[in-house]
Amino acid sequence: MLYEKIDDSKVRCHLCSHRCRINPARRGICGVRENREGVLYSLVYGMIVAENVDPIEKKPLFHFWPGSKSFSIATAGCNFRCSFCQNHDISQMPRETGNIAGRETSPADIVERAVRTGSKTIAYTYTEPTVFFEFAYDIARLACERGLKNVFVTNGFMTEETLEVIAPYLDAANVDLKSFRNDFYKKRCGARLTPVLTSLRKMKSLGIWVEVTTLLIPSLNDSEEELRQIAEFIYSIGAETPWHISRFHPQYKMNTLPPTSLEAIHRAARIGKACGLKYVYSGNVPGDEGEDTVCAHCGELLIDRYGFYIEKIRLQDSNCPQCGATLDGIF
């Protein structure tokens, strides 16, 4: 899907914002889409490399069916090359080894297993769902027929065309906004900032519930100026958009920096709230009060969390029991 044939058996992929021009017998930047004699093929359709039942909070999505199960899947591959990737063994496998692992399965099998586990959603996660788009698209359509919702956990680098195709079947997304500097995206991820911002605006305009995550990396994206820029952008697409500020731990090729301090997480949260965001959360800090959802109007505790798990939900038909204000989200 979403490619065009050009001269001399070359093709151009329009799935993500790299818009790779791919020569015959070559693959795109993602490592999982290959030009075979002028026809672009997905090499990961049905090739599941990860499959789990997770709490929806693990995505993280805090305002979309909190406390529910999410049937979570991935194939190998990614269109980014983040030096701090926590799932690099599967996301970078095709690029680094040329191999594509996975267990073959069908969209119908995935949906059936999701139903059987009592999951409310299917999450396309762990690696970038854009690169296994055709598989995700076929699953999502079947899932809708069975009353399940669909969730992308994504870097947001897909094209607007891709979002328009999936939008009728995509209910929610958590988008990584990794930095507000293009040089960070170029050096650390092999990508660009602007398409991510465009995707966030597009998702909101299409009615997809959006939450944003920023992994706070010491000395790289944690300046007060940059955090304010991120928070102001999120505010511009909707003050109701939850912002998850996640704690960095040394990973992959970025293993010399220290973990993010709790003070840095709390400072970022204060900046987000000062910019007018209604819901700002601390991530990777189990037991921190920044995991809880409080009423943006009166401050009443509405959802008590510990890590990825719900301790207590205090809502009356999505409303605060203290002041009656509606909690933004899908419940």
Side-chain angles (χ1 to χ4, degrees):
M1 298 172 68
L2 295 159
Y3 81 98
E4 64 174 323
K5 298 183 179 185
I6 51 181
D7 56 299
D8 301 324
S9 295
K10 299 182 181 69
V11 301
R12 187 177 301 281
C13 180
H14 295 293
L15 188 63
C16 90
S17 291
H18 288 305
R19 296 191 188 270
C20 293
R21 180 184 173 100
I22 308 172
N23 290 330
R26 306 289 291 185
R27 298 178 184 178
I29 287 172
C30 62
V32 298
R33 298 171 75 77
E34 184 174 284
N35 180 353
R36 296 179 179 173
E37 299 179 347
V39 178
L40 188 62
Y41 285 86
S42 168
L43 306 181
V44 290
Y45 189 96
M47 296 297 289
I48 291 296
V49 73
E51 177 182 321
N52 297 287
V53 178
D54 289 334
I56 193 71
E57 285 75 18
K58 192 175 181 181
K59 302 304 106 189
L61 285 166
F62 281 12
H63 289 243
F64 191 84
W65 295 115
S68 66
K69 297 177 183 177
S70 186
F71 195 80
S72 303
I73 62 168
T75 72
C78 187
N79 52 356
F80 277 23
R81 50 174 177 77
C82 299
S83 53
F84 46 87
C85 181
Q86 65 178 354
N87 292 323
H88 59 89
D89 53 334
I90 54 177
S91 70
Q92 302 303 310
M93 178 195 302
R95 180 183 287 114
E96 293 184 346
T97 70
N99 297 325
I100 296 174
R103 176 173 55 83
E104 194 167 356
T105 189
S106 71
D109 287 340
I110 293 295
V111 173
E112 190 58 43
R113 291 203 284 275
V115 170
R116 200 161 56 236
T117 59
S119 299
K120 280 185 175 287
T121 57
I122 297 179
Y124 310 84
T125 181
Y126 307 134
T127 62
E128 174 51 45
T130 305
V131 306
F132 59 96
F133 182 78
E134 293 83 2
F135 189 47
Y137 178 77
D138 286 349
I139 295 169
R141 289 190 301 166
L142 290 177
C144 286
E145 294 174 3
R146 299 291 296 274
L148 298 174
K149 305 299 183 182
N150 295 288
V151 170
F152 271 16
V153 181
T154 174
N155 58 36
F157 207 66
M158 67 281 285
T159 62
E160 290 189 69
E161 303 99 282
T162 297
L163 280 173
E164 288 168 358
V165 171
I166 194 64
Y169 312 103
L170 184 61
D171 300 282
N174 185 291
V175 181
D176 284 333
L177 183 49
K178 299 172 187 287
S179 171
F180 216 75
R181 292 184 291 111
N182 198 59
D183 61 341
F184 179 101
Y185 268 90
K186 183 177 180 180
K187 182 177 180 180
R188 307 291 175 182
C189 310
R192 292 173 287 120
L193 168 63
T194 299
V196 181
L197 304 183
T198 299
S199 288
L200 281 161
R201 293 190 187 99
K202 184 73 172 181
M203 287 181 187
K204 295 288 283 193
S205 72
L206 291 168
I208 298 165
W209 176 257
V210 172
E211 303 192 18
V212 176
T213 294
T214 301
L215 180 69
L216 206 61
I217 305 175
S219 76
L220 295 184
N221 67 350
D222 62 346
S223 72
E224 184 170 340
E225 178 186 10
E226 185 168 359
L227 292 170
R228 184 175 294 108
Q229 288 174 323
I230 293 172
E232 288 174 347
F233 173 80
I234 297 171
Y235 181 84
S236 76
I237 63 172
E240 78 286 348
T241 306
W243 185 25
H244 301 263
I245 304 163
S246 194
R247 191 182 191 190
F248 166 84
H249 294 280
Q251 297 280 354
Y252 191 31
K253 297 179 180 180
M254 195 177 287
N255 51 24
T256 58
L257 291 175
T260 313
S261 70
L262 288 180
E263 172 51 33
I265 295 288
H266 294 157
R267 177 174 59 90
R270 290 194 295 270
I271 290 171
K273 291 173 182 175
C275 288
L277 295 180
K278 295 169 72 173
Y279 312 107
V280 182
Y281 296 105
S282 54
N284 292 346
V285 191
D288 191 85
E289 66 178 14
E291 296 180 314
D292 297 333
T293 297
V294 299
C295 177
H297 184 259
C298 73
E300 182 76 5
L301 177 62
L302 300 179
I303 304 177
D304 185 6
R305 296 184 180 87
Y306 185 90
F308 300 132
Y309 298 97
I310 299 289
E311 298 285 336
K312 190 174 184 180
I313 297 178
R314 298 182 65 248
L315 288 172
Q316 294 178 349
D317 298 325
S318 302
N319 297 323
C320 173
Q322 182 70 24
C323 71
T326 299
L327 179 62
D328 298 284
I330 300 172
F331 305 101

